[in-house]
Every structure is written in C-alpha cells, then in structure tokens.
Amino acid sequence: MRLLVTNIATLVCDRLARPRLQGREMGELETLDDAYLMADDGEVSEFGLMADLPTEGIRADVTIDAKGGMVLPSWCDPHTHIVYAGSREGEFVDKIRGLSYAEIARRGGGILNSADLLHSLTEDELYEQSMVRALEIMGKGTGCVEIKSGYGLNTADELKMLRVIRRIRESVPMHVSATFLGAHAVGRNYTKPQYMDLLLNEMIPEVGREQLAEFIDVFCDEGFFTPEETARILEAGAKWGMRPKIHADELAASGGVKVAIDHGALSVDHLERITDGEIDMLRNSAVMPTGLPGTSFFLNLPYAPLRKMIDAGCAVAIASDYNPGSTPSGDMKFAVSLACIKMRLLPAEAINAATINAACAMGQSGSFGSIAVGKRANFYVTRPLPSIDFIPYAYTTSIISRIVLNGQPV
Ligand code: NIG
Ligand code: FE
C-alpha cells in the first residue's frame, strides 16, 4: 500500500536519523518547504520537493493533499498511566482547598484511591474506560505511547492492568509499550516488607513469565520506595529482561537518578527536584531525563530545570504523565507549550523532546520519533499555519487536519 502526501508547506523531516539529540543539537529541526512525502507498506519511503515529484508515473493507493498545511512526526509519549478506573476530581478540589499531593497520599487517598476503584472493575470495564483515553491521545497526535501498570497493587489487579494494556496495543494503530509499575505505592493491607516480598517473589516472576511488560518502573521518592528498594526491584525485573524507567526526584531529591544510571535505565522521569550533581551525572549517561511539565502545572510543583539541563549538554525528553491524580491530560501539544512557556525551551527543542528524544526514552527511536526513510510512517498534517513556532504559541488551538499511522489515514 502506497500513500502520497502532496502540497506540504513545511515538512519536518530527519535525514540524519540520529537516535537522540543532546545539548545544542536539540535546537535543530530539519525542514523542507513545498514538499511531498511518500510511504510504502507503513514505512516512510521517500520525501522531497514538490518541484521534483514526477507529474506522471507515481502511482499511489491513497493521496492526501495537504493543501499548504505542515507535516510533523507524531508525538511520542514515553510516560503515561492511562489505564485507570474512574477519576479523582475530589482530590483536585481538596488540593485547591490547600492539601498537598503528598498529604492526600499520606491520608490513604491518591494512588490507593485509584487502586480501590480499579479493583471494583472487571477487565472489560477497565479496557472500555482506558480505550477512551487511548483514542483521545491518538486524536491529539500521539503515535507511540508507553503505558504503566501501578493501580493494581496486588498480583491479580496488576496482571489485570497489564492484560488491558496488551489489549489496547492490539486495538490501536499507535505503538504501545507496557511498563510494570507494581512499585507505585504499597498496596493496602500490606506492610512495606510484605509488599517488597510480593513484588520480588510473586508479581515480577508472574509478569515475566506471561511476558506482559517490556519495562519496569519504581516510584523512587520520599514516602514511597527508597533507592535501595528500587535497586532490588530493578534487579529482579532485569532477570526477566525488563528494562528500567524510573520515577525520581518529584517530591524530594530521592537518589533515584544514580540508581537509574547504575541500572542502565532507559529514562528517569519527573526530576522536579533534581540536583546539580545529578545533572552532571546524566550529561554523560545514556539515560534519557524526562520532564513532565503537565504534572508541575497541575500540582503547582516546581518545573524540572530542562533549560539548565540542555545548556549543560544533556538530552531531555518530555511526556504527558497522563494519570488521574497528578496530570489528567495526555495532550502532548499542551506539554510542548508548557515546556516552552514554563521551562524556557525553544519550540524546536520542545518538539524534539516530544518526538525523537521521547521515542528514545522508550527504546524506539530507530522506528519512531521522526520522519526518516525506513521509519514508521506516523505523522499528522496540520491546517495551514504561519510557522512552526505557532504550534506551542497557540497553546490550546487544535492544529491537526489528518492523522496517518503506519502509513494509513486514521
Ligand atoms: O507520575 N508520581 C507518581 N505517579 C504518578 C501519579 C499517580 C497518581 O497520583 O495517581 C505520576 O505523577
Ligand atoms: Fe508517572
């Protein structure tokens, strides 16, 4: 099947196909004006200037006339919790009245509240509720997404979540990666030692045996899991081939960055309270630091210092963190705007953070995250826009006119 897109005012393309961009490189966004783009059997096969498109001889099964719109690579969202039950707007109001996220968690709300709700749903009900969000983010331009478990907090419910993630992967044309986050909180009715035992000796082996997760995550933060506990959990996951992606430095400087580096994590995420020493460590590591600007926006937390990190020579990614407690939004365009407005990233840097580097944070930058020959043809066509900078500037304006995933219009 061949797809041809014509009359593209500006194509955001990637001839160098670098696996990630670091420091100064993050400001580079290759573009081609007045372009066409072709995909064969789901992969980008060719792009070039409209002037060089042979007027005869190119046969396509589907042709999209971009009519002067732009074409950008689909967003990659490397950190979400979109499989959850119900919603938590009660806590939203509590927070407006003055309670902090950490206080709500200490009182037994927060993640445990979502675990109770999830326990009461059948697998089918959980799938139905979660698919609404999967389709929502797809409609907003996401083409590759990571989804975590972590609202089960007992073996049966964690497995239920991971099976739902697998079912979503089979139902949508987005690429879906699954992460086991049993260590999101200590489940109700367990002490910490009992829960650690359950994680290490029951949950991880079950998840591994059923091959339900590519990645393993731990909420390594004050009041949740310590760096020592995190290391033990990651080592248990590694025995089953699960690569780490870690939550760290959200509520306090947690020591999670060092654990992430020592264990070859794909990414270390949140980083609202990252220290200068940790920035130094990350600069020379393969771990992708991932900021979650929507979380800082929603919880009124400090923003992760991504500007400082890029200036220090780091690569950075951004993700939505879509979840019911700290970020009830999976809108990657809005995350890009927040990265510009609140973290002082330039539009090109924020777009790279949400595409190629975000794909790298999922180990997927060879196939996703940019429009390069041989990569998956995942992109969207915009309506005519004055410039690329307009995208984060118009921070609630929708810009998408067509979405193409795997070379097929959706
Ligand atoms: O990434 N910080 C930990 N986990 C989620 C929030 C989970 C929740 O509150 O439901 C996050 O922000
Ligand atoms: Fe998260």
Side-chain angles (χ1 to χ4, degrees), residues 79-81 84 88 91 95 101 105 109-112 114 148 150-151 181 184 217 219 221 224 247 250-251 269-270 272 292 295 299 301 320-327:
H79 180 141
T80 81
H81 311 248
Y84 62 80
R88 298 202 332 245
E91 291 172 14
K95 280 181 285 221
Y101 180 81
I111 295 168
L112 295 179
S114 284
K148 301 175 194 294
Y151 293 119
L181 175 57
H184 199 193
D217 195 343
F219 190 10
D221 223 315
F224 290 85
H247 284 69
E250 176 187 1
L251 308 173
D269 306 16
H270 272 291
E272 290 86 348
L292 309 171
T295 310
L299 295 183
L301 295 180
S320 75
D321 196 21
Y322 196 172
N323 77 76
S326 71
T327 329

Side-chain angles (χ1 to χ4, degrees), residues 270-389:
H270 272 291
L271 308 176
E272 290 86 348
R273 324 253 179 195
I274 191 170
T275 64
D276 287 348
E278 290 176 319
I279 294 177
D280 237 26
M281 287 191 257
L282 282 168
R283 183 204 343 255
N284 300 311
S285 92
V287 181
M288 182 62 71
T290 301
L292 309 171
T295 310
S296 297
F297 174 73
F298 189 75
L299 295 183
N300 284 313
L301 295 180
Y303 284 79
L306 298 194
R307 171 77 272 146
K308 187 170 164 184
M309 294 169 72
I310 294 173
D311 291 343
C314 292
V316 303
I318 58 173
S320 75
D321 196 21
Y322 196 172
N323 77 76
S326 71
T327 329
S329 161
D331 188 328
M332 283 299 286
K333 176 177 173 288
F334 184 56
V336 166
S337 291
L338 286 176
C340 294
I341 298 162
K342 297 293 191 180
M343 295 168 153
R344 317 310 296 172
L345 268 57
L346 293 167
E349 293 171 327
I351 290 169
N352 281 321
T355 53
I356 187 66
N357 280 4
C360 185
M362 292 180 266
Q364 289 293 341
S365 59
S367 306
F368 298 93
S370 68
I371 297 174
V373 171
K375 286 197 184 185
R376 288 271 99 198
N378 279 15
F379 56 84
Y380 57 86
V381 183
T382 74
R383 58 187 176 75
L385 302 176
S387 68
I388 288 174
D389 295 348

